[in-house]
Amino acid sequence: ASAAAAADGDKSPASRATGRARAWAVPLLVAGVALASACSPIETNRPYSPSDGLRVDLTSELRGLNLLVVSAEDGEPGALVGAFANDSTEDVEFDVTPEGGAPVTIPVAAGETVYLGAEDGFDAQIGRVDAEPGAMLPVTVSATTGEEQTLSLPVLDGTLEEYAHLLP
């Protein structure tokens, strides 16, 4: 009789319960994964500093990228390295002012990015760096549009080959 019932497609109550449990398991698993991924933002969608320097966002259109200072030692001149991007429709000047020092002005045309320390880039020299290599140099970054932000830039020396040629 049981072989005939199986041939007719009849299932026992235990078999029907297992089938219903499996039918609910997949949607619950999918819902759980969706909820977990919604609570975990994708880190690569956030602006970040991928190298030795720091990023500063004055606005969504005006920013400094991978900013750092290269100097031989405390009290010596230094070179500002990185880039400034201007995605606005107006030309802008960025000022980087070390704590207690004179500002370094970097002009950036509308829609352009100016690289500092690159072969064909802008030469941004700081007259005196009051921080030793390995320390942080407090600076204020501002734009002619009125925005400004204070941060501390890392100071590196020529120990790393990629920065040796940048020493003033």
Side-chain angles (χ1 to χ4, degrees):
S2 63
D8 291 338
D10 291 338
K11 295 184 180 174
S12 69
S15 176
R16 284 192 298 263
T18 303
R20 279 195 296 263
R22 270 187 258 148
W24 281 99
V26 172
L28 288 176
L29 180 63
V30 170
V33 169
L35 181 62
S37 65
C39 296
S40 302
I42 299 170
E43 289 300 315
T44 55
N45 285 343
R46 294 183 186 175
Y48 70 100
S49 300
S51 189
D52 297 327
L54 296 179
R55 178 186 177 108
V56 59
D57 294 309
L58 297 178
T59 69
S60 62
E61 297 178 326
L62 304 174
R63 62 194 174 282
L65 306 164
N66 199 32
L67 299 174
L68 59 92
V69 176
V70 179
S71 179
E73 60 184 69
D74 187 4
E76 293 292 317
L80 183 61
V81 178
F84 281 96
N86 175 6
D87 294 331
S88 75
T89 57
E90 303 292 325
D91 294 351
V92 173
E93 287 185 344
F94 290 91
D95 282 337
V96 178
T97 308
E99 189 175 80
V104 176
T105 302
I106 300 102
V108 184
E112 297 291 323
T113 299
V114 171
Y115 295 93
L116 314 173
E119 189 172 304
D120 292 327
F122 188 84
D123 186 28
Q125 298 292 315
I126 297 173
R128 177 184 169 96
V129 176
D130 288 325
E132 62 186 34
M136 303 294 277
L137 178 67
V139 299
T140 299
V141 177
S142 59
T144 51
T145 54
E147 294 81 13
E148 75 174 37
Q149 216 175 97
T150 300
L151 64 150
S152 293
L153 298 181
V155 179
L156 303 175
D157 60 12
T159 303
L160 296 173
E161 185 179 316
E162 59 267 29
Y163 298 118
H165 71 281
L166 298 170
L167 284 169

